Amino acid sequence: MKEIKFEHVKKSYGDTEVVKDLNFTIKEGERLILLGPSGCGKSTTLRMIAGLEDITEGSLYMNGKKMNDVPSGKRNVAMVFQNYALYPHMTVKQNIIYGLRVRKLFKKDIQSRLDSVLDMLQLRGLEDRLPKDLSGGQRQRVALARATVKRSDFFLLDEPLSNLDAQLRVSARKELLKIHEMFKQTMVYVTHDQIEAMTFADRIALMYDGELQMLDTPTNVYHRPANVFTAKFIGTPPTNILEMDDHNGFVTIGEQSLELNDMWRKHIAERKTQNLLFGIRPEHIELSTTPFSNGFQGKVKYIENQGNSYSVYMDLEGKEVVALSENKHWHKGDIVYFRPMMERIHLFEKETGDSIGYPEELLDENDKNKEESRVLV
Ligand code: ADP
Ligand code: MG
């Protein structure tokens, strides 16, 4: 099994623990995206898989074998680095096949692998150029080609597209998808870009401060965030999080209250939780110029144009709430009435930030929508 398994894996530099107790399995053939803000330990985690960093504590298994002490060259991994790391004195062709030569493959084999990757990554005609005579996008494709020809079981990529402009990134992602479909490698892809993660991942492993926050499909990470951090990190603008003191089935903000429906009241009662945070995504708030029977009243503070919609930032009793609107008739200072969609809310324990889960009624519906909601973000 070409799977990767972390068992209580930790990494410290001196007294500083930068990766804290990772416990999860990356499945054979999946595209797993390691996502998280800068400095959260993504590269360190990837480099431990590659064998470029020692593991301080715990065990790492690949293909069912413990890898802690296995050198990088014996792990059957190919890696693409953020800065490409091409050999400057070698041509495109030499860069791509260098690793195969070292492994002493037959000439015929090397040539056929080279041919196929030159076509796939549109590098034909550039074989004899040096890296310095290539554009950023072309260098990136050479780095991808060099890793692809190895046809290793594990394909590791550290922010491989971050130096490309937005358009090139989209086309490079398509090429990566092609590579993955062709070779079905177990792919671990590091990025800090949530859009990239949502569009590319089979599953997302979201990290923060050296800890895994959630590991699930893009759909579930978006619709069923495991904690406040996940709810806020995924989605633009981020999920609104509001305190709801002494809730008793109401979300009370200052003088205003929103009554939760029976489904949620029952769910909260079963959880026996008292102190809660209320979460709602901007795209799941309805706006109106007239009051709702069960909603809030706010005042427009400012508006951001998102192209196909508008982010309307509102003041609600001194707290900021943002909603997405397709209409541009909102202006600063307007009174605005808004209502969170009950089936789209999230509740978290105040103390831990952990989700209290979702009523069963909602989980069924989400399963039905799994595929189409992938593109929601
Ligand atoms: P990411 O890739 O998510 O941005 P890294 O894995 O590169 O984060 O780094 C995680 C943390 O470990 C950071 O705080 C970084 O400063 C620290 N770190 C990384 N490498 C070293 C090192 N060689 N010595 C000390 N600290 C390091
Ligand atoms: Mg990094």
Side-chain angles (χ1 to χ4, degrees):
M1 291 288 276
K2 294 186 243 167
E3 57 173 41
I4 302 170
K5 189 172 172 197
F6 291 89
E7 252 181 33
H8 300 292
V9 167
K10 297 177 186 173
K11 173 75 187 177
S12 305
Y13 292 107
D15 291 340
T16 320
E17 212 171 48
V18 298
V19 169
K20 302 166 188 168
D21 202 24
L22 289 183
N23 264 306
F24 68 101
T25 300
I26 301 169
K27 298 180 207 164
E28 171 164 332
E30 84 170 322
R31 287 192 305 276
L32 183 107
I33 307 291
L34 264 182
L35 175 69
S38 179
C40 73
K42 305 180 297 293
S43 294
T44 306
T45 303
L46 196 74
R47 291 170 62 81
M48 285 194 285
I49 300 173
L52 302 171
E53 294 285 352
D54 289 336
I55 292 165
T56 311
E57 233 179 88
S59 307
L60 173 78
Y61 297 90
M62 291 161 74
N63 250 331
K65 283 186 222 112
K66 190 165 168 178
M67 284 288 141
N68 292 46
D69 300 320
V70 176
S72 184
K74 298 231 160 86
R75 292 194 186 192
N76 202 352
V77 297
M79 184 151 168
V80 179
F81 297 89
Q82 183 171 359
N83 58 5
Y84 318 140
L86 299 177
Y87 302 111
H89 57 285
M90 289 188 195
T91 65
V92 166
K93 177 178 161 183
Q94 288 165 340
N95 262 287
I96 295 175
I97 65 175
Y98 178 73
L100 304 182
R101 284 220 169 121
V102 170
R103 278 161 54 190
K104 298 200 168 40
L105 261 69
F106 288 122
K107 263 209 168 124
K108 207 174 84 212
D109 243 0
I110 294 181
Q111 189 60 45
S112 91
R113 288 193 191 192
L114 176 68
D115 281 336
S116 108
V117 85
L118 285 176
D119 289 335
M120 183 190 285
L121 294 172
Q122 294 153 44
L123 289 166
R124 277 276 174 224
L126 303 176
E127 297 94 316
D128 298 323
R129 287 212 201 159
L130 288 171
K132 70 175 172 58
D133 300 322
L134 298 173
S135 72
Q138 289 165 338
R139 275 180 219 160
Q140 186 61 59
R141 294 209 295 275
V142 176
L144 284 178
R146 184 178 58 181
T148 304
V149 289
K150 287 173 87 179
R151 301 196 183 166
S152 18
D153 288 348
F154 304 97
F155 199 13
L156 312 177
L157 304 102
D158 194 353
E159 313 233 10
L161 311 182
S162 57
N163 294 333
L164 304 184
D165 65 47
Q167 243 176 345
L168 266 177
R169 224 180 291 166
V170 172
S171 63
R173 255 199 322 254
K174 276 192 202 145
E175 279 148 12
L176 273 175
L177 273 177
K178 265 195 280 178
I179 293 171
H180 187 254
E181 269 164 28
M182 191 172 272
F183 300 114
K184 304 267 187 294
Q185 295 149 308
T186 304
M187 192 181 256
V188 188
Y189 183 110
V190 164
T191 181
H192 63 269
D193 180 348
Q194 48 140 330
I195 307 278
E196 191 155 271
M198 292 304 275
T199 50
F200 193 65
D202 289 321
R203 288 195 303 162
I204 294 173
L206 180 61
M207 286 181 77
Y208 175 61
D209 198 18
E211 283 182 286
L212 186 66
Q213 302 292 314
M214 185 168 185
L215 172 61
D216 212 326
T217 59
T219 305
N220 284 346
V221 166
Y222 175 85
H223 285 287
R224 305 287 173 244
N227 49 34
V228 170
F229 177 81
T230 307
K232 290 177 92 164
F233 193 83
I234 304 281
T236 326
T239 304
N240 297 290
I241 304 285
L242 298 167
E243 300 220 1
M244 41 189 286
D245 292 321
D246 288 332
H247 60 82
N248 291 325
F250 286 85
V251 181
T252 303
I253 315 289
E255 303 282 295
Q256 301 187 43
S257 284
L258 174 88
E259 191 175 10
L260 294 172
N261 60 12
D262 289 346
M263 175 180 77
W264 280 107
R265 284 164 174 267
K266 189 168 145 261
H267 185 72
I268 293 171
E270 284 165 1
R271 294 289 172 290
K272 298 188 181 67
T273 12
Q274 266 310 308
N275 294 320
L276 295 176
L277 296 172
F278 173 82
I280 185 75
R281 292 195 178 278
E283 54 273 47
H284 298 149
I285 294 177
E286 290 174 78
L287 297 182
S288 170
T289 50
T290 53
F292 290 102
S293 60
N294 186 30
F296 293 116
Q297 175 187 326
K299 196 175 202 179
V300 177
K301 282 166 70 182
Y302 59 99
I303 293 158
E304 267 174 11
N305 190 344
Q306 304 280 4
N308 59 352
S309 62
Y310 299 84
S311 300
V312 183
Y313 289 83
M314 305 172 283
D315 177 84
L316 168 64
E317 308 269 325
K319 300 197 171 158
E320 188 174 274
V321 176
V322 55
L324 277 189
S325 169
E326 285 178 1
N327 302 316
K328 68 171 181 185
H329 63 241
W330 299 106
H331 303 283
K332 184 176 169 180
D334 283 353
I335 295 295
V336 56
Y337 298 95
F338 63 96
R339 174 169 73 179
M341 300 176 193
M342 271 302 151
E343 69 280 13
R344 299 292 203 185
I345 70 172
H346 312 274
L347 296 176
F348 307 95
E349 270 175 2
K350 199 183 286 179
E351 211 172 289
T352 59
D354 289 340
S355 167
I356 67 160
Y358 297 86
E360 221 164 283
E361 296 93 310
L362 292 183
L363 291 178
D364 297 346
E365 188 203 335
N366 178 48
D367 286 341
K368 272 185 262 158
N369 293 336
K370 220 167 190 171
E371 271 323 297
E372 65 188 33
S373 45
R374 225 171 205 263
V375 291
L376 264 176
V377 168

